[in-house]
Amino acid sequence: MSTLLSLRDIWVEYGDRIIIEKLDLDIAAGSFVSVVGPSGAGKSSFLRLILGQEAPSRGTILLDGEPLAPECGPDRGVVFQRYSVFPHLSALGNTMLGMECAQSPFSARLFGAARRAARDEAAAMLQAVGLGDSLHLYPAQMSGGMQQRLAIAQALVKRPRILLLDEPFGALDPGIRADMHALIRSLWRDYALTIVMVTHDIREAFTLGTRVLALDKRRHDPHAPHRFGATAVYDLQLRERPEDHAPENDAEAPLPTSITID
Ligand SMILES: Nc1ncnc2c1ncn2[C@@H]1O[C@H](COP(=O)(O)OP(=O)(O)OP(=O)(O)O)[C@@H](O)[C@H]1O
Ligand SMILES: [Mg+2]
């Protein structure tokens, strides 16, 4: 598989606090990378780097071999754990807003034929995430799972190549989570996405990912906790292609019996 993203000697520092140190990674097109690690390790910072929301203090990020544009591009979509949809807009309005921002970033308004085409596309995307009957509902009228489906539709309607997920299912109960796993897996296949997903749930990381990456500090200085940053302490390639994927039923997915952390 070809390399989509390359991170070379990436550092994230705030003043003298080192958050990420010396991160070197290649992310293959079409892969599904699960990112795990303790709270505060820098997982969300890592996603912000890829999203272009934050620049590294040192190092280079390449997208298709070119330096990453230092702002959120339409090639990258993001879904956070919660609160990523606008409460004053319906499902359709939220999804169309994603497209309007991508197509006309300054006015965020589409007119006439462009608006009708955007509406049809947004409705089709809501259908694809299972919200075809809920186009006119507002977020407050939706369950948590429905709101996350909406956030996914909003991210995907821009047709990103990379979908970034920051604990997207963390607030959902187990049954709904299993439904969301099936959804994200089918969207990943159907839209040929590259996915980077942060999760605290190790089983979720192994069930969904083609690769599991753990971010943590290699070294600790008890007198100066921010002297060292996190990096990839283990990086496990689980499977090459979506076809090699674990069973659809999460409960049947094998977990590795032991993992060696160097
Ligand atoms: N703008 C900022 N200025 C200073 N420090 C920051 C800033 N943003 C993040 N940090 C620090 O960077 C560290 C990593 O934060 P980050 O949110 O990436 O962790 P995380 O791994 O996502 O944690 P969690 O699992 O709790 O979501 C934290 O110690 C945080 O305080
Ligand atoms: Mg985080």
Side-chain angles (χ1 to χ4, degrees):
M1 279 195 285
S2 61
T3 299
L4 184 62
L5 270 172
S6 289
L7 284 76
R8 291 280 168 272
D9 194 17
I10 292 296
W11 293 68
V12 174
E13 295 148 295
Y14 297 110
D16 57 1
R17 295 180 62 180
I18 303 178
I19 309 299
I20 291 177
E21 67 176 47
K22 205 168 173 10
L23 186 59
D24 280 293
L25 278 182
D26 283 329
I27 295 180
S31 57
F32 191 138
V33 183
S34 298
V35 180
V36 297
S39 194
K43 304 179 299 296
S44 296
S45 306
F46 172 67
L47 287 192
R48 285 198 300 274
L49 286 173
I50 301 178
L51 191 61
Q53 248 178 18
E54 192 172 325
S57 44
R58 291 183 247 171
T60 320
I61 304 179
L62 302 174
L63 176 65
D64 287 327
E66 301 287 331
L68 188 73
E71 70 272 342
C72 313
D75 41 15
R76 285 153 282 155
V78 66
V79 177
F80 297 104
Q81 182 173 3
R82 52 175 85 185
Y83 307 132
S84 58
V85 295
F86 294 102
H88 62 290
L89 292 175
S90 68
L92 195 60
N94 262 291
T95 310
M96 286 179 69
L97 188 74
M99 299 167 85
E100 289 175 326
C101 289
Q103 291 175 6
S104 55
F106 300 109
S107 68
R109 282 280 178 276
L110 295 171
F111 298 103
R115 185 171 180 83
R116 281 192 294 279
R119 188 194 180 285
D120 290 348
E121 211 173 311
M125 188 52 77
L126 287 165
Q127 182 80 40
V129 301
L131 292 178
D133 295 331
S134 309
L135 304 189
H136 302 293
L137 291 189
Y138 287 82
Q141 300 169 306
M142 297 178 161
S143 68
M146 291 168 82
Q147 291 194 32
Q148 281 312 71
R149 287 171 188 269
L150 174 56
I152 292 168
Q154 197 182 48
L156 285 186
V157 80
K158 294 176 222 175
R159 301 288 163 159
R161 298 161 67 204
I162 308 173
L163 181 64
L164 304 169
L165 303 169
D166 199 349
E167 299 184 51
F169 315 128
L172 306 177
D173 68 50
I176 305 290
R177 261 178 178 231
D179 292 347
M180 296 301 284
H181 289 173
L183 170 67
I184 207 72
R185 210 180 257 176
S186 66
L187 293 170
W188 173 49
R189 285 189 191 131
D190 294 350
Y191 294 92
L193 295 166
T194 303
I195 296 184
V196 181
M197 176 187 74
V198 171
T199 177
H200 274 116
D201 180 338
I202 198 84
R203 178 175 287 279
E204 181 171 273
F206 278 91
T207 311
L208 290 177
T210 56
R211 175 178 178 186
V212 176
L213 196 68
L215 293 184
D216 201 356
K217 292 179 197 287
R218 268 188 208 283
R219 306 174 285 177
H220 287 271
D221 180 342
H223 304 295
H226 298 294
R227 186 167 161 217
F228 301 115
T231 194
V233 291
Y234 77 88
D235 185 351
L236 221 58
Q237 185 71 45
L238 300 177
R239 35 185 97 83
E240 274 293 313
R241 299 178 307 272
E243 302 84 86
D244 304 334
H245 227 286
E248 291 292 333
N249 182 347
D250 288 356
E252 290 170 19
L255 273 181
T257 46
S258 69
I259 295 165
T260 311
I261 300 175
D262 61 339

